[in-house]
């Protein structure tokens, strides 16, 4: 089941009991942020939230926590809401192999219904903007797909980027933009600024659920997010041509902003409560001038709450973060079994691998840090044996507690790159990185006493089935 | 850049105590709230938000910002050098 827009996904969530319509009137602050904050504390089955009576607004529609649980993520994938995390990640990896699936260009996108241009542009007249956390510098657009092109290769479809970057609303036609240097839009902006030019952008808000997922996925620079969306949804991604920039944008989006990142401009931005569970601090960041707003009639404003993990963004990005690391590691090391990089976007990653010889697991850990995503994240890599499930944290803790001798199992690397938002980095963007080898030493590494593990009894598997059946009859 | 369409309102920025505040928006239902913004630190708030976000005396120390903070804010990303001939 592939959804072409946000509305059809919300309908599917509703049909599966995963959409909570809050009918009472709420205040824009603190109610909307607090409700989404609370939803992220409801566990793996938390619903999406839908509000349509917000004080002071006449026709505001706000959707929150849309990807905010494993149940919702499964529905986005077209799977039963009860699918386990590991199964969802495995299915994600399987569909990823179908890349690339070319998109389907469609005419008459719904966002063409209404438009504001030039002096009419007023973000506040179209979007029911609101604040999330107490210390945020203002109202944010934090779940939009930002489309930009490589100024050196404007016709290269693969190098066109679709990414999620947080944007502070700074005026009726003005947004602050945070392009993390590791991300593709930062490369595009760098090219434009070296040439003394502005960087055109198209910003799609309220997208079908797979666009939001791929826009948050660390793909290779020349891989198309639309071709990946096609693979992951199992049908070509519908795209449309943006009226002002001519960029390729998600056909089904609720609102489309077009304009430019003003070249060589920086302005105070933030702070903003981030996915790290810390505020980002105020920095001097690029600015977007919005020249045109296209929008569906009565658009649904989709936003997500960010703060102390886990929140919606962790479910949104979690599986996607695991896959490229798994695939890139697998290319070099077929022994790799599974990767769990779902903690704080992969600042910590757990890799399960078989070994060829002593020291091998440490090499796998080091390679994790030098993958494109690892360069900006993967500050801590825990490497575990092939029979340890990296998604089962009690198993991982067992490996850490019994397989690690700090005398020989820690590789501490100074002066490595990490994204600047890591609150532990000093200076921002630079950190030591640590590989923890929690695998059993193999020859010629002869440390420890691991020759007598306790194995499950041969009869235990049959008993698992028998006990489950007895439980189900209760 | 389009000309700023700002309207001055007499008020103090809760975050940096600057006294030049502009009105960004008013509620579509008349008279319910306004969205205001500090012209210096760009902090924006809705008039119906709790005091801890809207009143200088209640605004938490940890989130306050000074002129020095703004001047010292690091560029992210840094503006690169112009290419020769650009
Ligand atoms: Zn201020």
């Amino acid at each position: 089941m592939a959804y072409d827009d946000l509305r059809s996904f919300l309908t599917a969530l509703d049909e599966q009991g995963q959409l909570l319509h809050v009918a009472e009137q709420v205040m824009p602050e603190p109610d909307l942020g607090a409700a989404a904050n609370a939803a992220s504390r409801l566990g793996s089955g938390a619903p999406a939230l839908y509000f349509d009576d917000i004080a002071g607004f006449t026709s505001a529609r706000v959707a929150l926590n849309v990807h905010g649980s494993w149940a919702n993520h499964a529905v986005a994938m077209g799977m039963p809401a009860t699918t386990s995390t590991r199964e969802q990640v495995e299915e994600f990896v399987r569909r990823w192999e179908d890349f690339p699936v070319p998109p389907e260009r469609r005419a008459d996108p719904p966002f063409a219904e209404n438009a504001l241009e030039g002096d009419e542009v007023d973000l506040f007249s179209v979007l029911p903007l609101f604040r999330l956390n107490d210390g945020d510098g203002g109202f944010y657009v934090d779940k939009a797909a930002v489309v930009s092109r490589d100024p050196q290769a404007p016709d290269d479809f693969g190098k066109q980027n679709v990414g999620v970057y947080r944007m502070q609303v700074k005026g009726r036609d003005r947004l602050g933009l945070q392009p993390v240097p590791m991300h593709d839009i930062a490369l595009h902006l760098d090219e434009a600024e070296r040439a003394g030019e502005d960087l055109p952008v198209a910003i799609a808000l309220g997208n079908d659920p797979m666009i939001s997922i791929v826009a948050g996925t660390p793909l290779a620079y020349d891989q198309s997010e639309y071709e990946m969306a096609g693979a992951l949804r199992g049908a070509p991604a519908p795209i449309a041509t943006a009226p002002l920039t001519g960029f390729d944008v998600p056909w089904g989006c609720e609102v489309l902003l077009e304009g430019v990142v003003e070249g060589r401009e920086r302005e105070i931005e933030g702070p903003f409560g981030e996915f790290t569970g810390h505020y980002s601090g105020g920095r001097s960041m690029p600015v977007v001038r919005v020249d045109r707003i296209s929008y569906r009639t009565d658009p649904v404003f989709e936003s997500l709450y960010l703060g102390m993990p886990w929140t919606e963004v962790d479910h949104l990005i979690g599986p996607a973060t695991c896959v490229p690391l798994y695939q890139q590691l697998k290319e070099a090391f077929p022994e790799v079994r599974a990767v769990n990089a779902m903690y704080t976007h992969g600042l910590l990653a757990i890799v399960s691998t078989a070994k060829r010889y002593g020291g091998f697991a440490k090499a796998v850990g080091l390679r994790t840090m030098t993958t494109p995503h690892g360069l900006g994240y993967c500050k801590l890599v825990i490497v575990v044996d092939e029979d340890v499930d990296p998604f089962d944290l009690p198993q991982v803790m067992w490996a850490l507690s019994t397989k690690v001798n700090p005398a020989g199992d820690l590789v501490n690397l100074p002066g490595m790159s990490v994204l600047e938002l890591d609150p532990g980095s000093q200076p921002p963007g630079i950190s030591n990185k640590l590989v923890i080898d929690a695998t059993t030493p193999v020859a010629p590494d002869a440390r420890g006493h691991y020759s007598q593990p306790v194995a499950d009894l041969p009869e235990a598997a049959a008993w698992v089935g028998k006990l489950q059946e007895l439980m189900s009859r209760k | 850049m389009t000309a700023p369409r700002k309207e001055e309102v007499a008020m103090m920025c809760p975050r940096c105590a600057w006294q030049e505040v502009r009105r960004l928006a008013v509620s579509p239902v008349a008279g319910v709230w306004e969205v205001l913004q500090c012209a210096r630190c760009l902090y924006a708030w809705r008039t119906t938000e709790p005091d801890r976000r809207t009143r200088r005396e209640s605004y938490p120390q940890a989130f306050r910002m000074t002129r020095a903070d703004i001047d010292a804010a690091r560029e992210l990303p840094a503006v690169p050098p112009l290419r020769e001939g650009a």
Side-chain angles (χ1 to χ4, degrees):
Chain A
M1 164 81 213
Y3 310 98
D4 286 351
D5 62 4
L6 174 64
R7 295 180 192 199
S8 54
F9 180 47
L10 292 176
T11 301
L13 287 171
D14 197 17
E15 286 166 1
Q16 304 217 24
Q18 287 297 124
L19 182 77
L20 192 63
H21 179 186
V22 180
E24 69 178 64
Q25 186 176 74
V26 299
M27 293 301 292
E29 296 87 10
D31 289 336
L32 294 172
N37 186 176
S40 67
R41 301 293 173 256
L42 296 180
S44 62
L49 307 179
Y50 185 78
F51 297 86
D52 55 9
D53 189 356
I54 305 168
F57 290 99
T58 49
S59 58
R61 290 153 173 76
V62 171
L64 291 162
N65 210 48
V66 170
H67 290 78
S69 63
W70 286 115
N72 289 12
H73 186 270
V75 177
M77 299 269 293
M79 302 169 81
T82 51
T83 310
S84 76
T85 305
R86 180 151 187 176
E87 280 176 274
Q88 291 188 41
V89 175
E90 282 172 353
E91 177 64 9
F92 210 93
V93 174
R94 198 190 61 71
R95 294 188 195 175
W96 188 287
E97 305 285 352
D98 293 335
F99 173 86
V101 173
E104 174 192 318
R105 188 175 301 278
R106 291 189 196 167
D108 300 324
F111 64 72
E113 289 170 353
N114 308 278
L116 299 173
E117 259 192 328
D119 278 354
E120 299 171 335
V121 167
D122 182 358
L123 293 164
F124 290 90
S125 75
V126 176
L127 303 173
L129 298 160
F130 58 93
R131 183 206 312 277
L132 295 172
N133 283 303
D134 282 347
D136 290 354
F139 306 163
Y140 274 79
V141 175
D142 67 357
K143 201 182 176 182
V146 182
V147 184
S148 60
R149 287 185 178 176
D150 183 338
Q152 302 272 66
D155 300 323
D156 188 324
F157 187 80
K159 289 182 180 172
Q160 178 172 256
N161 181 62
V162 186
V164 178
Y165 308 98
R166 74 175 212 212
M167 288 171 281
Q168 181 181 351
V169 179
K170 294 175 149 188
R172 293 180 172 100
D173 64 349
R174 208 165 165 77
L175 298 164
L177 174 81
Q178 173 177 267
V180 175
M182 288 80 184
H183 293 163
D184 292 349
I185 195 173
L187 301 174
H188 294 174
L189 180 62
D190 188 77
E191 276 299 333
E193 292 193 318
R194 284 179 192 278
E197 291 167 0
D198 294 339
L199 180 74
V201 286
I203 301 163
L205 287 84
N207 296 300
D208 81 67
M210 206 49 82
I211 288 293
S212 298
I213 288 173
V214 296
T217 299
L219 295 183
Y221 181 67
D222 58 357
Q223 285 181 329
S224 164
E225 283 80 7
Y226 295 125
E227 292 173 350
M228 184 58 79
L232 293 175
R233 51 185 243 133
I239 59 171
T241 304
L244 182 65
T245 53
F247 288 179
D248 303 308
V249 295
W251 175 87
C253 69
E254 296 283 324
V255 177
L256 183 71
L257 314 177
E258 292 178 273
V260 297
V261 183
E262 294 181 338
R264 312 187 70 77
E265 279 285 320
R266 297 291 184 274
E267 188 178 75
I268 188 73
E269 198 272 358
F272 183 58
E274 269 288 357
F275 71 93
T276 59
H278 294 77
Y279 285 95
S280 53
R283 273 100 32 101
S284 197
M285 297 215 270
V287 180
V288 175
R289 185 192 71 225
V290 179
D291 295 321
R292 184 186 166 100
I293 306 179
S294 311
Y295 59 102
R296 291 182 78 156
T297 300
D298 293 332
V300 179
F301 179 48
E302 193 197 9
S303 182
L304 59 73
Y305 175 78
L306 278 161
M308 184 63 81
W310 269 45
T311 65
E312 181 180 354
V313 73
D314 298 290
H315 292 98
L316 180 66
I317 294 185
T321 311
C322 301
V323 181
L325 284 169
Y326 171 78
Q327 300 212 329
Q328 288 156 23
L329 283 172
K330 198 90 180 156
E331 277 173 27
F333 301 124
E335 290 82 359
V336 168
R337 294 287 191 272
V339 175
N340 178 356
M342 299 198 299
Y343 300 99
T344 324
H345 294 197
L347 279 176
L348 182 149
I350 307 159
V351 180
S352 159
T353 185
K355 288 84 55 189
R356 287 181 217 167
Y357 35 71
F360 187 78
K362 292 186 178 68
V364 172
L366 292 170
R367 175 68 188 118
T368 309
M369 291 170 173
T370 58
T371 57
H373 185 71
L375 291 173
Y377 298 82
C378 297
K379 176 174 61 172
L380 302 168
V381 178
I382 301 169
V383 190
V384 295
D385 285 326
E386 64 271 35
D387 57 354
V388 172
D389 178 355
F391 294 94
D392 184 334
L393 294 190
Q395 285 189 36
V396 174
M397 294 308 286
W398 168 76
L400 277 174
S401 56
T402 60
K403 307 281 185 179
V404 175
N405 179 346
D409 286 329
L410 307 183
V411 184
N412 184 355
L413 300 152
M416 303 288 280
S417 61
V418 75
L419 85 163
E420 306 208 2
L421 284 177
D422 174 13
S425 64
Q426 180 60 39
I430 295 294
S431 176
N432 280 34
K433 289 193 172 184
L434 183 67
V435 176
I436 304 174
D437 181 354
T439 63
T440 314
V442 295
D445 190 355
R447 298 169 301 127
H449 174 59
Y450 295 108
S451 60
Q452 296 171 306
V454 182
D456 283 355
L457 296 173
E459 296 82 6
W463 268 96
V464 170
K466 192 184 289 193
L467 294 173
Q468 281 172 338
E469 200 196 315
L470 285 171
M471 305 250 304
S472 71
R473 273 195 245 148
K474 267 181 66 175
Chain B
M1 221 180 89
T2 50
R5 289 165 289 174
K6 63 180 175 190
E7 297 169 66
E8 306 287 332
V9 287
M11 200 151 187
M12 181 188 279
C13 170
R15 182 162 82 170
C16 80
W18 193 244
Q19 302 212 350
E20 188 190 348
V21 168
R22 55 199 174 204
R23 184 178 293 119
L24 284 182
V26 297
S27 52
V29 178
V32 181
W33 44 255
E34 297 177 347
V35 177
L36 305 177
Q37 183 186 41
C38 170
R40 179 168 75 171
C41 77
L42 305 183
Y43 179 72
W45 67 97
R46 196 184 323 264
T47 50
T48 47
E49 292 198 61
D51 285 358
R52 64 184 191 269
R53 301 175 182 180
T54 57
R55 301 182 67 88
R56 175 65 176 173
E57 62 273 20
S58 308
Y59 196 82
Q61 284 292 339
F63 299 138
R64 291 188 181 196
M65 195 178 264
T66 63
R67 166 99 260 166
D69 294 331
I70 297 168
D71 291 343
R74 285 179 339 99
E75 272 186 13
L76 182 74
V79 176
L82 270 177
R83 193 178 291 122
E84 245 172 86

